[in-house]
Amino acid sequence: MTDTPYAAHERLVAPCRPRQAIWRVLLGLVIVTVTLFVGYSVVLRMLTATGSQELALSFITGDSQFGMLLLLGCFGFMTLGVVLAARQLQRRGLQSVTGDYRQMVRQFWQVVRLLFLLMLAVFLLPPYDFGAPLTPNLSLGSWLALLPLSLLAVLIQVSAEEILFRGYLQQSLAARFRSPLVWMLVPSILFAIGHYSPEQAGENALLIVGLTGLFGLLMADITARAGTLGPAIALHFANNVVALLIVGFPDMLSGLALYLTPFDMSDTGTLRLWLLVDLIMMVCAWLVARIAMRR
């Protein structure tokens, strides 16, 4: 692997090689799932104990500011699960999963600043709406006041997903299987399945799964090239800042969005057009990340 574009990936994979048995990977996924489920259940039970069903429901749907912040924050339990699995099954710490912290932060900043310049350019160019006027969701003052917490919550959420899928799972599979078709594709498929939501997306559900799977493959590629999770976290962070904090959907995870789209996820006409736009932006962002890493 040392003479390939993915040579840097070996720094992440090597610590897994002494304990590369598949049962360790599967048991690790069980540990992560149980940790996330228990953490989520405890928080939900505490909210229910307050006697406010509305508060508990907002935590499930993410349609309030507090509920959405808490929901995103609970992804920290996913990171905790990975820490437990990596330590108990592979005898390694979190920095072994993420890559060197300093290099990860440096690569994150290199990528994220160019991505936000790209997004700013896109927002300044026509068209200036989503086919109809956007619906205000929060006042600008409230949104700005919440923004530091909102950004932190999104960072917790995207970091957790990258630590699990492009970190623990991708590295563990790469230690066992040489072919990128295995260690890139399997985590991406699992990542995509986790975004299958026919209740909200209707006939668009499979299209969203396919687009999410492609996003996972691009994150797998950029991680293998970088040797840390920094660029993948930056890409995921920029994507979710737009989707969760700037323009959200009215029927799903809308609590922190400044604006809402004039259509929901099940709109087969309008949404599919914007999924194409999203695909183009996704590839452009990936290319920008690759350029940023060469600087």
Side-chain angles (χ1 to χ4, degrees):
M1 188 181 290
T2 57
D3 58 347
T4 73
Y6 295 156
H9 196 223
E10 180 62 22
R11 295 197 299 268
L12 298 172
V13 176
C16 303
R17 295 195 187 281
R19 297 174 179 86
Q20 59 178 258
I22 289 299
W23 69 265
R24 294 180 184 272
V25 182
L26 298 177
L27 182 56
L29 290 178
V30 171
I31 291 174
V32 174
T33 302
V34 170
T35 304
L36 180 59
F37 176 77
V38 170
Y40 182 90
S41 298
V42 168
V43 173
L44 182 58
R45 185 178 293 273
M46 292 173 61
L47 293 175
T48 304
T50 66
S52 174
Q53 294 299 320
E54 182 179 351
L55 188 62
L57 183 61
S58 72
F59 170 62
I60 296 172
T61 62
D63 63 357
S64 75
Q65 298 165 29
F66 177 77
M68 188 61 173
L69 285 171
L70 197 55
L71 179 60
L72 293 175
C74 278
F75 276 81
F77 291 115
M78 181 181 289
T79 299
L80 175 60
V82 173
V83 170
L84 294 174
R87 186 172 300 279
Q88 295 301 315
L89 299 173
Q90 298 175 334
R91 300 293 187 267
R92 60 192 186 118
L94 181 60
Q95 186 167 202
S96 174
V97 178
T98 64
D100 179 76
Y101 289 150
R102 290 185 179 182
Q103 185 181 8
M104 179 181 68
V105 171
R106 183 173 65 252
Q107 290 179 336
F108 174 90
W109 177 241
Q110 286 175 330
V111 172
V112 82
R113 61 186 178 184
L114 288 187
L115 289 178
F116 278 109
L117 287 176
L118 172 65
M119 291 190 300
L120 179 62
V122 170
F123 276 108
L124 292 177
L125 294 173
Y128 302 107
D129 55 35
F130 284 66
L134 296 172
T135 303
N137 185 49
L138 297 176
S139 69
L140 182 59
S142 297
W143 185 79
L144 288 173
L146 282 168
L147 189 58
L149 277 178
S150 299
L151 291 173
L152 176 60
V154 172
L155 184 60
I156 290 172
Q157 180 250 323
V158 301
S159 297
E161 291 190 338
E162 293 306 317
I163 286 170
L164 174 58
F165 291 101
R166 262 62 68 178
Y168 178 79
L169 187 54
Q170 178 171 314
Q171 294 159 15
S172 299
L173 291 174
R176 179 64 180 83
F177 302 98
R178 296 184 61 86
S179 174
L181 289 176
V182 177
W183 53 262
M184 292 177 70
L185 195 58
V186 172
S188 299
I189 290 173
L190 294 177
F191 177 67
I193 290 173
H195 289 77
Y196 180 61
S197 182
E199 297 82 5
Q200 285 81 27
E203 295 180 9
N204 292 323
L206 289 179
L207 284 175
I208 293 172
V209 166
L211 197 64
T212 304
L214 176 60
F215 180 81
L217 286 173
L218 295 180
M219 297 308 96
D221 171 82
I222 205 72
T223 298
R225 293 175 184 275
T228 80
L229 296 181
I233 292 175
L235 277 160
H236 205 158
F237 179 69
N239 179 81
N240 283 22
V241 163
V242 174
L244 299 178
L245 304 187
I246 300 179
V247 182
F249 289 106
D251 55 341
M252 187 177 184
L253 306 177
S254 60
L256 297 175
L258 180 60
Y259 294 102
L260 300 178
T261 62
F263 53 86
D264 59 35
M265 292 184 67
S266 62
D267 189 318
T268 56
T270 309
L271 183 67
R272 291 184 181 185
L273 174 63
W274 283 102
L275 286 178
L276 176 61
V277 174
D278 196 34
L279 172 61
I280 296 171
M281 283 299 301
M282 184 192 306
V283 174
C284 288
W286 170 71
L287 291 172
V288 166
R290 291 189 56 180
I291 292 171
M293 287 167 51
R294 294 177 180 176
R295 300 180 63 182

